[in-house]
């Protein structure tokens, strides 16, 4: 990772000790570095949440928007200047709850942006409430007896809405994460990466997941590579989260996309 | 026998939050959280340069580079 991609004068970051957001941010900066993108042509856009603070620690131009509204702002930036590489940094709450409608419609329109979901399974910033990605039975501030609802499968949601690149990874698997972030950013069309990270302060503590270190290394136990999962039975995959690339298809290009004729 | 590679570990105490993730991911037990709950480099000579700690430190506090002996 290029050290000049960080705005060092803003560090240390405000995140709690052991928060996974810094690990995803590092992977994202590494991916941008490896792709050798022109730093002046990269824009990061975020909403509100602990994770949404990430762009402000980078040297790239960035916009810290309203809660849930990063995708419409990113869409506008991309429309106005298609030469830019536009990357959205969003939390699971920011991206799938209040911003969920923007997510599905940007996927449907196949807007050429990359959405990186810093997925810690709860609303960190506001004190650990449940999000649409909180697993069933998990304890959060708003589900003190265990979440009665089912979570969205973000990969299936994005795929169903029309995203043309969808992947999931976890912060333990840094090379895998960087690799899929690179593919997502390089993809021509709407891309989403579900980057599973830990919030030791709330989700971890409420659900007795152990120390930050244990939350990182335990991803080895509950995450399974897609290529390995394909050889397993559904029973063997109960409680496992599958990581890898799920969608990679040609950009949606409608027949009527020709430029409108100039008015006489 | 090829000479064992050596690595220099740089730790930024100002950015480190003593979270212990480097302790958990290092395969060679190079780090410890000491009795005063502070990050400590205890076995630098065992470092194999795998970059696990660097890639997993959420606070950009670690740099590991190979030392080339001329
Ligand atoms: C319109 C609006 N509604 C609610 C809030 C309060 N709020 C701030 S951050 C947040 C949720 C953040 O959760 P997530 O997006 O998962 O990010 P994390 O903090 O976990 O990284 C909420 C509800 C707000 N700032 N603005
Ligand atoms: S509350 Fe959770 S997500 Fe927010 S900084 Fe702390 S550990 Fe990270
Ligand atoms: S992982 Fe980073 S922040 Fe955490 S104890 Fe190690 S050096 Fe410090």
């Amino acid at each position: 990772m290029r050290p000049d991609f960080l705005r060092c004068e803003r560090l240390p970051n405000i995140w709690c000790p052991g928060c996974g957001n810094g690990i995803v941010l590092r992977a994202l900066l590494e991916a941008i570095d490896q792709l050798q993108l022109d730093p002046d042509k990269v824009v990061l856009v975020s909403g509100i949440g602990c994770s949404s603070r990430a762009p402000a620690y980078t040297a790239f131009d960035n916009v810290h928007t309203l809660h849930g509204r990063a995708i419409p702002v990113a869409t506008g930036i991309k429309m106005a200047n298609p030469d830019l590489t536009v990357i959205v940094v969003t939390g699971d709450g920011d991206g799938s709850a209040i911003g969920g409608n923007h997510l599905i419609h940007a996927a449907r329109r196949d807007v050429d942006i990359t959405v990186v979901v810093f997925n810690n399974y709860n609303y960190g910033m506001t004190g650990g409430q449940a999000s649409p990605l909180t697993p069933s039975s998990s304890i959060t501030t708003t589900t003190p007896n265990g979440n009665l609802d089912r979570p969205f499968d973000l990969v299936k949601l994005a795929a169903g809405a029309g995203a043309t690149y969808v992947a999931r990874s976890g912060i333990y698997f840094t090379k895998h994460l960087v690799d899929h972030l690179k593919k997502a950013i390089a993809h021509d069309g709407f891309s989403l990466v579900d980057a599973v990270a830990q919030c030791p302060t709330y989700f971890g503590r409420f659900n007795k997941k152990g120390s930050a270190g244990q939350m990182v290394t335990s991803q080895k136990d509950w995450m399974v590579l897609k290529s390995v999962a394909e050889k397993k039975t559904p029973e063997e995959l109960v409680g496992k989260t599958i990581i890898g690339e799920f969608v990679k298809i040609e950009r949606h290009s409608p027949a009527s996309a020709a430029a409108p004729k100039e008015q006489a | 026998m090829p000479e064992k590679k050596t690595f220099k570990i740089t730790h930024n105490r100002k950015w480190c939050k003593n979270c212990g993730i480097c302790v958990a991911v290092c395969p060679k037990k190079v780090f410890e959280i000491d009795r005063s709950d502070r990050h400590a480099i205890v076995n630098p000579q065992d470092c194999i340069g795998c970059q696990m700690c660097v890639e997993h430190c959420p606070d950009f506090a670690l740099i590991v580079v190979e030392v080339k002996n001329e």
Side-chain angles (χ1 to χ4, degrees):
Chain A
M1 187 202 79
R2 272 174 57 174
D4 62 327
F5 280 2
L6 281 176
R7 232 174 252 186
C8 293
E9 71 279 10
R10 296 218 177 157
L11 296 172
N13 61 52
I14 50 121
W15 296 317
C16 301
C19 173
N21 289 336
I23 310 177
V24 186
L25 174 59
R26 184 190 185 89
L28 179 60
L29 296 180
E30 178 66 29
I32 293 170
D33 183 10
Q34 288 187 19
L35 287 170
Q36 296 196 297
L37 301 178
D38 175 355
D40 290 336
K41 294 227 158 115
V42 176
V43 181
L44 305 188
V45 187
S46 64
I48 299 293
C50 300
S51 43
S52 287
R53 295 225 174 196
Y57 296 118
T58 74
F60 304 110
D61 285 337
N62 60 83
V63 193
H64 197 173
T65 71
L66 303 175
H67 192 30
R69 310 302 172 215
I71 289 175
V73 173
T75 303
I77 294 170
K78 185 70 188 178
M79 300 276 298
N81 193 343
D83 288 344
L84 298 176
T85 298
V86 183
I87 301 169
V88 169
V89 167
T90 182
D92 45 304
D94 192 66
S96 75
I98 190 166
N101 226 348
H102 298 304
L103 178 81
I104 55 175
H105 291 289
R108 176 176 62 83
R109 294 181 179 130
D110 205 7
V111 182
D112 185 17
I113 59 175
T114 301
V115 175
V116 184
V117 182
F118 286 45
N119 178 7
N120 58 17
Y121 298 125
N122 74 169
Y123 290 3
M125 179 166 265
T126 45
Q129 294 82 2
S131 88
L133 302 192
T134 301
S136 298
S137 309
S138 296
I139 311 284
T140 69
T141 308
T142 41
T143 59
N145 299 317
N147 185 16
L148 295 173
D149 292 325
R150 291 168 298 172
F152 277 140
D153 180 331
L154 195 59
V155 161
K156 287 189 182 149
L157 181 75
T164 46
Y165 185 91
V166 184
R168 181 188 288 123
S169 190
I171 50 82
Y172 180 74
F173 308 93
T174 44
K175 299 228 162 29
H176 185 271
L177 177 57
V178 170
D179 190 40
H180 289 85
L181 286 169
K182 278 170 70 180
K183 288 181 180 156
I185 296 167
H187 176 74
D188 180 21
F190 184 88
S191 321
L192 180 136
V193 178
D194 179 8
V196 180
Q198 75 281 10
C199 170
T201 301
Y202 294 111
F203 193 81
R205 185 162 50 92
F206 291 150
N207 294 287
K208 301 191 167 47
K209 301 284 185 194
S211 66
Q214 283 165 323
M215 288 186 83
V216 171
T217 54
S218 70
Q219 286 198 350
K220 280 185 290 189
D221 307 324
W222 58 273
M223 292 188 143
V224 184
L225 285 171
K226 187 164 169 270
S227 52
V228 176
E230 276 156 6
K231 298 186 197 91
K232 300 226 181 245
T233 63
E235 294 75 46
E236 289 174 308
L237 292 172
V238 172
K240 306 280 187 201
T241 295
I242 301 170
I243 59 170
E245 188 177 277
F246 295 86
V247 178
K248 188 175 172 32
I249 49 178
E250 277 278 296
R251 180 169 176 65
H252 164 74
S253 51
S256 61
K261 289 205 180 73
E262 269 199 40
Q263 299 285 314
Chain B
M1 208 181 99
E3 243 184 82
K4 187 184 169 294
K5 288 183 181 171
T6 52
F7 297 89
K8 181 167 172 277
I9 304 168
T10 312
H11 176 240
N12 183 337
R13 172 128 338 268
K14 287 203 189 97
W15 291 356
C16 171
K17 296 184 188 139
N18 308 299
C19 69
I21 289 177
C22 52
V23 180
V25 297
C26 173
K28 292 288 170 188
K29 299 193 164 47
V30 169
F31 311 104
E32 236 176 59
I33 295 297
D34 69 16
R35 269 179 284 172
S36 45
D37 291 332
R38 303 250 291 174
H39 167 104
I41 305 176
V42 286
N43 294 309
Q45 71 287 347
D46 293 343
C47 176
I48 52 167
C50 67
Q51 305 288 331
M52 284 291 278
C53 60
V54 175
E55 289 171 10
H56 290 92
C57 172
D59 290 280
F60 307 96
L62 289 163
I63 300 170
V64 173
V65 285
E66 190 181 343
V67 183
K68 299 254 191 251
N69 314 302
E70 306 294 282

